[in-house]
PDB file of all heavy atoms in Angstrom:
ATOM      1  N   ILE A  25      91.702 151.184 150.121  1.00 85.00           N
ATOM      2  CA  ILE A  25      91.236 152.441 149.615  1.00 85.00           C
ATOM      3  C   ILE A  25      89.817 152.233 149.073  1.00 85.00           C
ATOM      4  O   ILE A  25      89.579 151.593 148.104  1.00 85.00           O
ATOM      5  CB  ILE A  25      92.195 153.017 148.476  1.00 85.00           C
ATOM      6  CG1 ILE A  25      93.628 153.168 149.010  1.00 85.00           C
ATOM      7  CG2 ILE A  25      91.630 154.305 147.997  1.00 85.00           C
ATOM      8  CD1 ILE A  25      94.598 153.561 147.933  1.00 85.00           C
ATOM      9  N   ALA A  26      88.857 152.901 149.815  1.00 89.00           N
ATOM     10  CA  ALA A  26      87.494 152.693 149.464  1.00 89.00           C
ATOM     11  C   ALA A  26      87.048 153.676 148.365  1.00 89.00           C
ATOM     12  O   ALA A  26      86.227 153.331 147.539  1.00 89.00           O
ATOM     13  CB  ALA A  26      86.597 152.969 150.674  1.00 89.00           C
ATOM     14  N   VAL A  27      87.560 154.897 148.409  1.00 94.00           N
ATOM     15  CA  VAL A  27      87.122 155.927 147.430  1.00 94.00           C
ATOM     16  C   VAL A  27      88.342 156.796 147.011  1.00 94.00           C
ATOM     17  O   VAL A  27      89.190 157.049 147.873  1.00 94.00           O
ATOM     18  CB  VAL A  27      86.047 156.863 148.076  1.00 94.00           C
ATOM     19  CG1 VAL A  27      85.658 157.965 147.168  1.00 94.00           C
ATOM     20  CG2 VAL A  27      84.840 156.066 148.575  1.00 94.00           C
ATOM     21  N   MET A  28      88.321 157.137 145.760  1.00 95.00           N
ATOM     22  CA  MET A  28      89.272 158.105 145.233  1.00 95.00           C
ATOM     23  C   MET A  28      88.498 159.186 144.562  1.00 95.00           C
ATOM     24  O   MET A  28      87.530 158.925 143.830  1.00 95.00           O
ATOM     25  CB  MET A  28      90.247 157.400 144.196  1.00 95.00           C
ATOM     26  CG  MET A  28      91.128 156.368 144.757  1.00 95.00           C
ATOM     27  SD  MET A  28      92.125 155.561 143.433  1.00 95.00           S
ATOM     28  CE  MET A  28      93.100 154.441 144.453  1.00 95.00           C
ATOM     29  N   ASP A  29      88.892 160.407 144.817  1.00 97.00           N
ATOM     30  CA  ASP A  29      88.173 161.559 144.335  1.00 97.00           C
ATOM     31  C   ASP A  29      89.158 162.619 143.709  1.00 97.00           C
ATOM     32  O   ASP A  29      90.293 162.613 144.062  1.00 97.00           O
ATOM     33  CB  ASP A  29      87.393 162.279 145.437  1.00 97.00           C
ATOM     34  CG  ASP A  29      86.483 161.390 146.200  1.00 97.00           C
ATOM     35  OD1 ASP A  29      85.428 160.975 145.632  1.00 97.00           O
ATOM     36  OD2 ASP A  29      86.786 161.161 147.419  1.00 97.00           O
ATOM     37  N   TRP A  30      88.531 163.487 142.952  1.00 98.00           N
ATOM     38  CA  TRP A  30      89.177 164.691 142.494  1.00 98.00           C
ATOM     39  C   TRP A  30      88.309 165.896 142.854  1.00 98.00           C
ATOM     40  O   TRP A  30      87.090 165.866 142.610  1.00 98.00           O
ATOM     41  CB  TRP A  30      89.412 164.713 140.975  1.00 98.00           C
ATOM     42  CG  TRP A  30      90.547 163.791 140.503  1.00 98.00           C
ATOM     43  CD1 TRP A  30      90.415 162.506 140.058  1.00 98.00           C
ATOM     44  CD2 TRP A  30      91.953 164.114 140.533  1.00 98.00           C
ATOM     45  NE1 TRP A  30      91.643 162.094 139.736  1.00 98.00           N
ATOM     46  CE2 TRP A  30      92.610 162.981 140.059  1.00 98.00           C
ATOM     47  CE3 TRP A  30      92.688 165.250 140.936  1.00 98.00           C
ATOM     48  CZ2 TRP A  30      94.033 162.972 139.933  1.00 98.00           C
ATOM     49  CZ3 TRP A  30      94.067 165.215 140.782  1.00 98.00           C
ATOM     50  CH2 TRP A  30      94.705 164.056 140.295  1.00 98.00           C
ATOM     51  N   TYR A  31      88.905 166.897 143.500  1.00 98.00           N
ATOM     52  CA  TYR A  31      88.350 168.162 143.812  1.00 98.00           C
ATOM     53  C   TYR A  31      89.009 169.256 143.085  1.00 98.00           C
ATOM     54  O   TYR A  31      90.168 169.046 142.596  1.00 98.00           O
ATOM     55  CB  TYR A  31      88.374 168.410 145.303  1.00 98.00           C
ATOM     56  CG  TYR A  31      87.423 167.558 146.206  1.00 98.00           C
ATOM     57  CD1 TYR A  31      87.817 166.273 146.472  1.00 98.00           C
ATOM     58  CD2 TYR A  31      86.330 168.084 146.688  1.00 98.00           C
ATOM     59  CE1 TYR A  31      87.012 165.481 147.340  1.00 98.00           C
ATOM     60  CE2 TYR A  31      85.493 167.331 147.573  1.00 98.00           C
ATOM     61  CZ  TYR A  31      85.863 166.053 147.800  1.00 98.00           C
ATOM     62  OH  TYR A  31      85.026 165.227 148.619  1.00 98.00           O
ATOM     63  N   ARG A  32      88.372 170.415 142.954  1.00 98.00           N
ATOM     64  CA  ARG A  32      89.031 171.586 142.446  1.00 98.00           C
ATOM     65  C   ARG A  32      88.515 172.814 143.156  1.00 98.00           C
ATOM     66  O   ARG A  32      87.460 172.834 143.673  1.00 98.00           O
ATOM     67  CB  ARG A  32      88.831 171.698 140.935  1.00 98.00           C
ATOM     68  CG  ARG A  32      87.403 172.069 140.510  1.00 98.00           C
ATOM     69  CD  ARG A  32      87.241 172.003 138.990  1.00 98.00           C
ATOM     70  NE  ARG A  32      85.960 172.377 138.565  1.00 98.00           N
ATOM     71  CZ  ARG A  32      85.489 172.329 137.277  1.00 98.00           C
ATOM     72  NH1 ARG A  32      86.351 171.925 136.350  1.00 98.00           N
ATOM     73  NH2 ARG A  32      84.257 172.637 136.982  1.00 98.00           N
ATOM     74  N   GLN A  33      89.466 173.841 143.093  1.00 98.00           N
ATOM     75  CA  GLN A  33      89.081 175.077 143.774  1.00 98.00           C
ATOM     76  C   GLN A  33      89.660 176.245 142.944  1.00 98.00           C
ATOM     77  O   GLN A  33      90.879 176.350 142.777  1.00 98.00           O
ATOM     78  CB  GLN A  33      89.581 175.111 145.189  1.00 98.00           C
ATOM     79  CG  GLN A  33      89.138 176.365 145.962  1.00 98.00           C
ATOM     80  CD  GLN A  33      89.406 176.239 147.496  1.00 98.00           C
ATOM     81  OE1 GLN A  33      90.285 175.518 147.868  1.00 98.00           O
ATOM     82  NE2 GLN A  33      88.595 176.889 148.291  1.00 98.00           N
ATOM     83  N   ALA A  34      88.793 177.108 142.501  1.00 97.00           N
ATOM     84  CA  ALA A  34      89.174 178.283 141.791  1.00 97.00           C
ATOM     85  C   ALA A  34      89.306 179.431 142.785  1.00 97.00           C
ATOM     86  O   ALA A  34      88.722 179.411 143.816  1.00 97.00           O
ATOM     87  CB  ALA A  34      88.181 178.659 140.714  1.00 97.00           C
ATOM     88  N   PRO A  35      90.100 180.421 142.412  1.00 92.00           N
ATOM     89  CA  PRO A  35      90.267 181.595 143.380  1.00 92.00           C
ATOM     90  C   PRO A  35      88.942 182.260 143.742  1.00 92.00           C
ATOM     91  O   PRO A  35      88.128 182.518 142.848  1.00 92.00           O
ATOM     92  CB  PRO A  35      91.119 182.601 142.577  1.00 92.00           C
ATOM     93  CG  PRO A  35      91.849 181.717 141.658  1.00 92.00           C
ATOM     94  CD  PRO A  35      90.940 180.647 141.238  1.00 92.00           C
ATOM     95  N   GLY A  36      88.680 182.415 145.045  1.00 94.00           N
ATOM     96  CA  GLY A  36      87.512 183.004 145.536  1.00 94.00           C
ATOM     97  C   GLY A  36      86.276 182.091 145.549  1.00 94.00           C
ATOM     98  O   GLY A  36      85.183 182.624 145.851  1.00 94.00           O
ATOM     99  N   LYS A  37      86.429 180.843 145.205  1.00 96.00           N
ATOM    100  CA  LYS A  37      85.321 179.965 145.094  1.00 96.00           C
ATOM    101  C   LYS A  37      85.450 178.768 146.069  1.00 96.00           C
ATOM    102  O   LYS A  37      86.510 178.502 146.508  1.00 96.00           O
ATOM    103  CB  LYS A  37      85.151 179.442 143.648  1.00 96.00           C
ATOM    104  CG  LYS A  37      84.783 180.534 142.677  1.00 96.00           C
ATOM    105  CD  LYS A  37      84.556 179.968 141.269  1.00 96.00           C
ATOM    106  CE  LYS A  37      84.211 181.048 140.238  1.00 96.00           C
ATOM    107  NZ  LYS A  37      84.016 180.463 138.900  1.00 96.00           N
ATOM    108  N   GLN A  38      84.363 178.194 146.334  1.00 96.00           N
ATOM    109  CA  GLN A  38      84.335 177.013 147.231  1.00 96.00           C
ATOM    110  C   GLN A  38      84.948 175.796 146.507  1.00 96.00           C
ATOM    111  O   GLN A  38      84.782 175.643 145.323  1.00 96.00           O
ATOM    112  CB  GLN A  38      82.900 176.702 147.662  1.00 96.00           C
ATOM    113  CG  GLN A  38      82.717 175.650 148.696  1.00 96.00           C
ATOM    114  CD  GLN A  38      81.278 175.529 149.164  1.00 96.00           C
ATOM    115  OE1 GLN A  38      80.455 176.398 148.924  1.00 96.00           O
ATOM    116  NE2 GLN A  38      80.970 174.417 149.888  1.00 96.00           N
ATOM    117  N   ARG A  39      85.566 174.952 147.308  1.00 97.00           N
ATOM    118  CA  ARG A  39      86.119 173.710 146.788  1.00 97.00           C
ATOM    119  C   ARG A  39      84.966 172.839 146.269  1.00 97.00           C
ATOM    120  O   ARG A  39      83.958 172.623 146.961  1.00 97.00           O
ATOM    121  CB  ARG A  39      86.973 172.967 147.750  1.00 97.00           C
ATOM    122  CG  ARG A  39      87.657 171.735 147.252  1.00 97.00           C
ATOM    123  CD  ARG A  39      88.667 171.150 148.196  1.00 97.00           C
ATOM    124  NE  ARG A  39      89.797 172.044 148.416  1.00 97.00           N
ATOM    125  CZ  ARG A  39      90.879 171.763 149.097  1.00 97.00           C
ATOM    126  NH1 ARG A  39      91.036 170.565 149.605  1.00 97.00           N
ATOM    127  NH2 ARG A  39      91.819 172.606 149.237  1.00 97.00           N
ATOM    128  N   GLU A  40      85.121 172.268 145.101  1.00 97.00           N
ATOM    129  CA  GLU A  40      84.081 171.526 144.435  1.00 97.00           C
ATOM    130  C   GLU A  40      84.479 170.081 144.187  1.00 97.00           C
ATOM    131  O   GLU A  40      85.620 169.855 143.690  1.00 97.00           O
ATOM    132  CB  GLU A  40      83.728 172.229 143.114  1.00 97.00           C
ATOM    133  CG  GLU A  40      82.791 171.494 142.178  1.00 97.00           C
ATOM    134  CD  GLU A  40      82.714 172.098 140.777  1.00 97.00           C
ATOM    135  OE1 GLU A  40      83.631 172.868 140.421  1.00 97.00           O
ATOM    136  OE2 GLU A  40      81.741 171.821 140.068  1.00 97.00           O
ATOM    137  N   LEU A  41      83.626 169.150 144.407  1.00 98.00           N
ATOM    138  CA  LEU A  41      83.845 167.748 144.021  1.00 98.00           C
ATOM    139  C   LEU A  41      83.648 167.586 142.550  1.00 98.00           C
ATOM    140  O   LEU A  41      82.598 167.910 142.006  1.00 98.00           O
ATOM    141  CB  LEU A  41      82.856 166.839 144.838  1.00 98.00           C
ATOM    142  CG  LEU A  41      82.996 165.326 144.469  1.00 98.00           C
ATOM    143  CD1 LEU A  41      84.420 164.773 144.812  1.00 98.00           C
ATOM    144  CD2 LEU A  41      81.947 164.536 145.159  1.00 98.00           C
ATOM    145  N   VAL A  42      84.656 167.109 141.850  1.00 98.00           N
ATOM    146  CA  VAL A  42      84.655 166.945 140.448  1.00 98.00           C
ATOM    147  C   VAL A  42      84.276 165.595 140.007  1.00 98.00           C
ATOM    148  O   VAL A  42      83.395 165.406 139.095  1.00 98.00           O
ATOM    149  CB  VAL A  42      86.041 167.381 139.776  1.00 98.00           C
ATOM    150  CG1 VAL A  42      86.052 167.119 138.260  1.00 98.00           C
ATOM    151  CG2 VAL A  42      86.407 168.791 140.160  1.00 98.00           C
ATOM    152  N   ALA A  43      84.871 164.569 140.581  1.00 98.00           N
ATOM    153  CA  ALA A  43      84.554 163.211 140.187  1.00 98.00           C
ATOM    154  C   ALA A  43      85.021 162.254 141.327  1.00 98.00           C
ATOM    155  O   ALA A  43      85.944 162.567 142.102  1.00 98.00           O
ATOM    156  CB  ALA A  43      85.297 162.853 138.877  1.00 98.00           C
ATOM    157  N   THR A  44      84.360 161.077 141.345  1.00 98.00           N
ATOM    158  CA  THR A  44      84.681 160.096 142.403  1.00 98.00           C
ATOM    159  C   THR A  44      84.599 158.714 141.816  1.00 98.00           C
ATOM    160  O   THR A  44      83.831 158.505 140.853  1.00 98.00           O
ATOM    161  CB  THR A  44      83.757 160.235 143.597  1.00 98.00           C
ATOM    162  OG1 THR A  44      84.148 159.355 144.607  1.00 98.00           O
ATOM    163  CG2 THR A  44      82.286 159.986 143.200  1.00 98.00           C
ATOM    164  N   ILE A  45      85.359 157.828 142.371  1.00 97.00           N
ATOM    165  CA  ILE A  45      85.323 156.438 141.946  1.00 97.00           C
ATOM    166  C   ILE A  45      85.454 155.547 143.250  1.00 97.00           C
ATOM    167  O   ILE A  45      86.348 155.832 144.074  1.00 97.00           O
ATOM    168  CB  ILE A  45      86.396 156.103 140.937  1.00 97.00           C
ATOM    169  CG1 ILE A  45      86.218 154.633 140.459  1.00 97.00           C
ATOM    170  CG2 ILE A  45      87.812 156.315 141.419  1.00 97.00           C
ATOM    171  CD1 ILE A  45      87.073 154.310 139.200  1.00 97.00           C
ATOM    172  N   THR A  46      84.616 154.566 143.357  1.00 94.00           N
ATOM    173  CA  THR A  46      84.629 153.726 144.541  1.00 94.00           C
ATOM    174  C   THR A  46      85.485 152.477 144.299  1.00 94.00           C
ATOM    175  O   THR A  46      85.946 152.221 143.171  1.00 94.00           O
ATOM    176  CB  THR A  46      83.192 153.245 144.922  1.00 94.00           C
ATOM    177  OG1 THR A  46      82.751 152.346 143.919  1.00 94.00           O
ATOM    178  CG2 THR A  46      82.282 154.428 144.973  1.00 94.00           C
ATOM    179  N   SER A  47      85.674 151.723 145.364  1.00 88.00           N
ATOM    180  CA  SER A  47      86.463 150.488 145.230  1.00 88.00           C
ATOM    181  C   SER A  47      85.775 149.487 144.297  1.00 88.00           C
ATOM    182  O   SER A  47      86.485 148.648 143.701  1.00 88.00           O
ATOM    183  CB  SER A  47      86.646 149.818 146.629  1.00 88.00           C
ATOM    184  OG  SER A  47      85.382 149.513 147.246  1.00 88.00           O
ATOM    185  N   GLY A  48      84.462 149.546 144.159  1.00 89.00           N
ATOM    186  CA  GLY A  48      83.744 148.720 143.211  1.00 89.00           C
ATOM    187  C   GLY A  48      83.748 149.140 141.811  1.00 89.00           C
ATOM    188  O   GLY A  48      83.158 148.504 140.984  1.00 89.00           O
ATOM    189  N   GLY A  49      84.309 150.291 141.529  1.00 92.00           N
ATOM    190  CA  GLY A  49      84.382 150.808 140.190  1.00 92.00           C
ATOM    191  C   GLY A  49      83.265 151.841 139.791  1.00 92.00           C
ATOM    192  O   GLY A  49      83.237 152.255 138.690  1.00 92.00           O
ATOM    193  N   THR A  50      82.331 152.088 140.735  1.00 96.00           N
ATOM    194  CA  THR A  50      81.277 153.027 140.474  1.00 96.00           C
ATOM    195  C   THR A  50      81.881 154.404 140.362  1.00 96.00           C
ATOM    196  O   THR A  50      82.595 154.872 141.215  1.00 96.00           O
ATOM    197  CB  THR A  50      80.232 152.955 141.551  1.00 96.00           C
ATOM    198  OG1 THR A  50      79.698 151.678 141.584  1.00 96.00           O
ATOM    199  CG2 THR A  50      79.087 153.916 141.200  1.00 96.00           C
ATOM    200  N   THR A  51      81.502 155.112 139.331  1.00 98.00           N
ATOM    201  CA  THR A  51      82.019 156.495 139.051  1.00 98.00           C
ATOM    202  C   THR A  51      80.797 157.502 139.131  1.00 98.00           C
ATOM    203  O   THR A  51      79.667 157.203 138.814  1.00 98.00           O
ATOM    204  CB  THR A  51      82.752 156.656 137.733  1.00 98.00           C
ATOM    205  OG1 THR A  51      81.882 156.308 136.615  1.00 98.00           O
ATOM    206  CG2 THR A  51      83.897 155.702 137.755  1.00 98.00           C
ATOM    207  N   ASN A  52      81.178 158.714 139.415  1.00 97.00           N
ATOM    208  CA  ASN A  52      80.207 159.778 139.327  1.00 97.00           C
ATOM    209  C   ASN A  52      81.026 161.112 139.115  1.00 97.00           C
ATOM    210  O   ASN A  52      82.171 161.161 139.484  1.00 97.00           O
ATOM    211  CB  ASN A  52      79.412 159.949 140.648  1.00 97.00           C
ATOM    212  CG  ASN A  52      78.142 160.793 140.488  1.00 97.00           C
ATOM    213  OD1 ASN A  52      77.774 161.081 139.363  1.00 97.00           O
ATOM    214  ND2 ASN A  52      77.546 161.149 141.560  1.00 97.00           N
ATOM    215  N   CYS A  53      80.384 162.069 138.545  1.00 98.00           N
ATOM    216  CA  CYS A  53      81.093 163.347 138.273  1.00 98.00           C
ATOM    217  C   CYS A  53      80.102 164.478 138.340  1.00 98.00           C
ATOM    218  O   CYS A  53      78.885 164.293 138.178  1.00 98.00           O
ATOM    219  CB  CYS A  53      81.859 163.317 136.948  1.00 98.00           C
ATOM    220  SG  CYS A  53      80.823 163.018 135.518  1.00 98.00           S
ATOM    221  N   ALA A  54      80.607 165.644 138.484  1.00 98.00           N
ATOM    222  CA  ALA A  54      79.856 166.856 138.543  1.00 98.00           C
ATOM    223  C   ALA A  54      79.086 167.140 137.234  1.00 98.00           C
ATOM    224  O   ALA A  54      79.671 166.810 136.182  1.00 98.00           O
ATOM    225  CB  ALA A  54      80.614 168.075 139.012  1.00 98.00           C
ATOM    226  N   ASP A  55      77.932 167.680 137.288  1.00 98.00           N
ATOM    227  CA  ASP A  55      77.248 168.001 136.067  1.00 98.00           C
ATOM    228  C   ASP A  55      78.092 168.913 135.108  1.00 98.00           C
ATOM    229  O   ASP A  55      77.940 168.791 133.851  1.00 98.00           O
ATOM    230  CB  ASP A  55      75.886 168.740 136.353  1.00 98.00           C
ATOM    231  CG  ASP A  55      74.910 167.800 136.941  1.00 98.00           C
ATOM    232  OD1 ASP A  55      75.084 166.562 136.832  1.00 98.00           O
ATOM    233  OD2 ASP A  55      73.920 168.290 137.561  1.00 98.00           O
ATOM    234  N   SER A  56      78.884 169.805 135.664  1.00 97.00           N
ATOM    235  CA  SER A  56      79.629 170.733 134.864  1.00 97.00           C
ATOM    236  C   SER A  56      80.717 170.049 134.002  1.00 97.00           C
ATOM    237  O   SER A  56      81.194 170.632 133.053  1.00 97.00           O
ATOM    238  CB  SER A  56      80.263 171.797 135.774  1.00 97.00           C
ATOM    239  OG  SER A  56      81.167 171.179 136.702  1.00 97.00           O
ATOM    240  N   VAL A  57      81.043 168.818 134.366  1.00 98.00           N
ATOM    241  CA  VAL A  57      82.107 168.137 133.619  1.00 98.00           C
ATOM    242  C   VAL A  57      81.682 166.853 132.919  1.00 98.00           C
ATOM    243  O   VAL A  57      82.476 166.204 132.288  1.00 98.00           O
ATOM    244  CB  VAL A  57      83.363 167.821 134.523  1.00 98.00           C
ATOM    245  CG1 VAL A  57      83.878 169.144 135.197  1.00 98.00           C
ATOM    246  CG2 VAL A  57      83.006 166.791 135.556  1.00 98.00           C
ATOM    247  N   LYS A  58      80.407 166.476 133.130  1.00 97.00           N
ATOM    248  CA  LYS A  58      79.916 165.226 132.554  1.00 97.00           C
ATOM    249  C   LYS A  58      80.058 165.291 131.044  1.00 97.00           C
ATOM    250  O   LYS A  58      79.736 166.224 130.375  1.00 97.00           O
ATOM    251  CB  LYS A  58      78.426 165.048 132.900  1.00 97.00           C
ATOM    252  CG  LYS A  58      78.217 164.497 134.238  1.00 97.00           C
ATOM    253  CD  LYS A  58      76.793 164.230 134.632  1.00 97.00           C
ATOM    254  CE  LYS A  58      76.631 163.667 136.006  1.00 97.00           C
ATOM    255  NZ  LYS A  58      75.215 163.415 136.334  1.00 97.00           N
ATOM    256  N   GLY A  59      80.498 164.156 130.484  1.00 97.00           N
ATOM    257  CA  GLY A  59      80.755 164.056 129.050  1.00 97.00           C
ATOM    258  C   GLY A  59      82.114 164.571 128.620  1.00 97.00           C
ATOM    259  O   GLY A  59      82.489 164.381 127.434  1.00 97.00           O
ATOM    260  N   ARG A  60      82.849 165.231 129.492  1.00 98.00           N
ATOM    261  CA  ARG A  60      84.119 165.735 129.188  1.00 98.00           C
ATOM    262  C   ARG A  60      85.284 165.152 130.020  1.00 98.00           C
ATOM    263  O   ARG A  60      86.332 164.879 129.529  1.00 98.00           O
ATOM    264  CB  ARG A  60      84.177 167.228 129.356  1.00 98.00           C
ATOM    265  CG  ARG A  60      83.154 167.989 128.507  1.00 98.00           C
ATOM    266  CD  ARG A  60      83.381 169.491 128.541  1.00 98.00           C
ATOM    267  NE  ARG A  60      83.149 170.035 129.946  1.00 98.00           N
ATOM    268  CZ  ARG A  60      84.081 170.599 130.640  1.00 98.00           C
ATOM    269  NH1 ARG A  60      85.302 170.826 130.163  1.00 98.00           N
ATOM    270  NH2 ARG A  60      83.779 171.009 131.899  1.00 98.00           N
ATOM    271  N   PHE A  61      85.004 164.856 131.316  1.00 98.00           N
ATOM    272  CA  PHE A  61      86.058 164.269 132.202  1.00 98.00           C
ATOM    273  C   PHE A  61      85.705 162.864 132.537  1.00 98.00           C
ATOM    274  O   PHE A  61      84.551 162.412 132.627  1.00 98.00           O
ATOM    275  CB  PHE A  61      86.013 165.008 133.556  1.00 98.00           C
ATOM    276  CG  PHE A  61      86.521 166.449 133.496  1.00 98.00           C
ATOM    277  CD1 PHE A  61      86.784 167.097 132.258  1.00 98.00           C
ATOM    278  CD2 PHE A  61      86.855 167.153 134.645  1.00 98.00           C
ATOM    279  CE1 PHE A  61      87.259 168.379 132.241  1.00 98.00           C
ATOM    280  CE2 PHE A  61      87.345 168.432 134.637  1.00 98.00           C
ATOM    281  CZ  PHE A  61      87.477 169.095 133.392  1.00 98.00           C
ATOM    282  N   THR A  62      86.763 162.025 132.708  1.00 98.00           N
ATOM    283  CA  THR A  62      86.649 160.634 133.048  1.00 98.00           C
ATOM    284  C   THR A  62      87.614 160.329 134.181  1.00 98.00           C
ATOM    285  O   THR A  62      88.774 160.601 134.081  1.00 98.00           O
ATOM    286  CB  THR A  62      86.879 159.717 131.840  1.00 98.00           C
ATOM    287  OG1 THR A  62      86.043 159.985 130.772  1.00 98.00           O
ATOM    288  CG2 THR A  62      86.727 158.280 132.263  1.00 98.00           C
ATOM    289  N   ILE A  63      87.072 159.712 135.262  1.00 98.00           N
ATOM    290  CA  ILE A  63      87.977 159.296 136.365  1.00 98.00           C
ATOM    291  C   ILE A  63      88.202 157.756 136.239  1.00 98.00           C
ATOM    292  O   ILE A  63      87.314 157.026 135.834  1.00 98.00           O
ATOM    293  CB  ILE A  63      87.320 159.586 137.671  1.00 98.00           C
ATOM    294  CG1 ILE A  63      88.323 159.356 138.864  1.00 98.00           C
ATOM    295  CG2 ILE A  63      85.996 158.920 137.916  1.00 98.00           C
ATOM    296  CD1 ILE A  63      87.841 159.902 140.178  1.00 98.00           C
ATOM    297  N   SER A  64      89.424 157.317 136.522  1.00 97.00           N
ATOM    298  CA  SER A  64      89.783 155.932 136.530  1.00 97.00           C
ATOM    299  C   SER A  64      90.756 155.678 137.582  1.00 97.00           C
ATOM    300  O   SER A  64      91.358 156.621 138.176  1.00 97.00           O
ATOM    301  CB  SER A  64      90.286 155.502 135.118  1.00 97.00           C
ATOM    302  OG  SER A  64      91.416 156.239 134.787  1.00 97.00           O
ATOM    303  N   ARG A  65      91.047 154.393 137.879  1.00 94.00           N
ATOM    304  CA  ARG A  65      91.916 154.029 138.944  1.00 94.00           C
ATOM    305  C   ARG A  65      92.756 152.835 138.579  1.00 94.00           C
ATOM    306  O   ARG A  65      92.394 152.050 137.725  1.00 94.00           O
ATOM    307  CB  ARG A  65      91.249 153.886 140.207  1.00 94.00           C
ATOM    308  CG  ARG A  65      90.358 152.634 140.269  1.00 94.00           C
ATOM    309  CD  ARG A  65      89.640 152.420 141.545  1.00 94.00           C
ATOM    310  NE  ARG A  65      88.958 151.148 141.581  1.00 94.00           N
ATOM    311  CZ  ARG A  65      88.220 150.737 142.576  1.00 94.00           C
ATOM    312  NH1 ARG A  65      88.086 151.465 143.630  1.00 94.00           N
ATOM    313  NH2 ARG A  65      87.629 149.569 142.521  1.00 94.00           N
ATOM    314  N   ASP A  66      93.865 152.663 139.266  1.00 90.00           N
ATOM    315  CA  ASP A  66      94.728 151.467 139.178  1.00 90.00           C
ATOM    316  C   ASP A  66      94.994 151.054 140.620  1.00 90.00           C
ATOM    317  O   ASP A  66      95.848 151.687 141.276  1.00 90.00           O
ATOM    318  CB  ASP A  66      95.979 151.661 138.389  1.00 90.00           C
ATOM    319  CG  ASP A  66      96.801 150.410 138.187  1.00 90.00           C
ATOM    320  OD1 ASP A  66      96.669 149.517 139.020  1.00 90.00           O
ATOM    321  OD2 ASP A  66      97.634 150.387 137.238  1.00 90.00           O
TER     322      ASP A  66
END
């Protein structure tokens, strides 16, 4: 598994990438959730 992501979609809106984590542990998240959401993996 190279990448794990979370997306979200609200009614009438485009699906949005929320956060991603790579196999190497690098994380990124959307500006709208930075400082509030954290992605992790096992």
